[in-house]
Amino acid sequence: MTDHKTATREQWLAARLELLEAEKEFTRQRDELTRRRMAMPWERVEKSYQFELSRQQWLKANAHFLAREKRAAGLGYPHRPVVYRNVAHRRALLSRPQSRRLR
């Protein structure tokens, strides 16, 4: 069992205000770090990438994507055209004849 210190209301309030100041300073530092990260320059990627997946890996990734999309639609998130276009494309791929599907 954990032993917790007990204090008067004034002692607790003083400790809480001290903790609040530390939390505020941490938030400022995190925000500054995030700003610096976002300001970093991008690196141009010249190489073209193509990922190869087995049929089972592709179906698993597709199922995860469709499930995420269904959850987003159910929670009333705003319409995301790019995401929906990808879903339609993936559904079209699934409806193709077996010989044209990924293996």
Side-chain angles (χ1 to χ4, degrees), residues 70-83:
K70 185 183 281 187
R71 283 194 308 270
L75 294 174
Y77 291 144
H79 180 69
R80 297 185 180 110
V82 174
V83 173

Side-chain angles (χ1 to χ4, degrees), residues 62-88 90-91:
N62 190 51
H64 174 73
F65 181 85
L66 291 174
R68 186 183 74 186
E69 184 60 29
K70 185 183 281 187
R71 283 194 308 270
L75 294 174
Y77 291 144
H79 180 69
R80 297 185 180 110
V82 174
V83 173
Y84 281 85
R85 185 172 60 232
N86 287 341
V87 169
R90 288 170 187 231
R91 286 185 182 144

Side-chain angles (χ1 to χ4, degrees), residues 52-68:
E52 295 182 13
L53 297 175
S54 69
R55 177 164 170 68
Q56 184 177 7
Q57 289 171 323
W58 184 84
L59 288 173
K60 184 176 180 181
N62 190 51
H64 174 73
F65 181 85
L66 291 174
R68 186 183 74 186

Side-chain angles (χ1 to χ4, degrees), residues 1 9-10 16 21 23 29 35 46 52 68 75-76 88 96 102:
M1 187 192 280
R9 174 75 179 158
E10 293 78 23
R16 176 68 185 116
E21 280 303 313
E23 288 174 341
Q29 289 175 354
R35 187 196 61 75
E46 302 291 340
E52 295 182 13
R68 186 183 74 186
L75 294 174
R96 289 182 178 174
L102 295 175

Side-chain angles (χ1 to χ4, degrees), residues 4-69:
H4 293 284
K5 290 197 281 184
T6 58
T8 65
R9 174 75 179 158
E10 293 78 23
Q11 291 171 329
W12 178 87
L13 188 56
R16 176 68 185 116
L17 292 175
E18 183 180 326
L19 181 63
L20 184 60
E21 280 303 313
E23 288 174 341
K24 286 181 179 181
E25 181 59 30
F26 171 74
T27 299
R28 287 186 203 104
Q29 289 175 354
R30 186 187 63 224
D31 291 346
E32 174 62 19
L33 182 62
T34 300
R35 187 196 61 75
R36 288 174 51 194
R37 183 184 310 113
M38 298 300 287
M40 285 186 64
W42 290 23
E43 180 182 1
R44 181 180 298 271
V45 178
E46 302 291 340
K47 183 177 178 182
S48 175
Y49 287 94
Q50 183 172 358
F51 299 100
E52 295 182 13
L53 297 175
S54 69
R55 177 164 170 68
Q56 184 177 7
Q57 289 171 323
W58 184 84
L59 288 173
K60 184 176 180 181
N62 190 51
H64 174 73
F65 181 85
L66 291 174
R68 186 183 74 186
E69 184 60 29

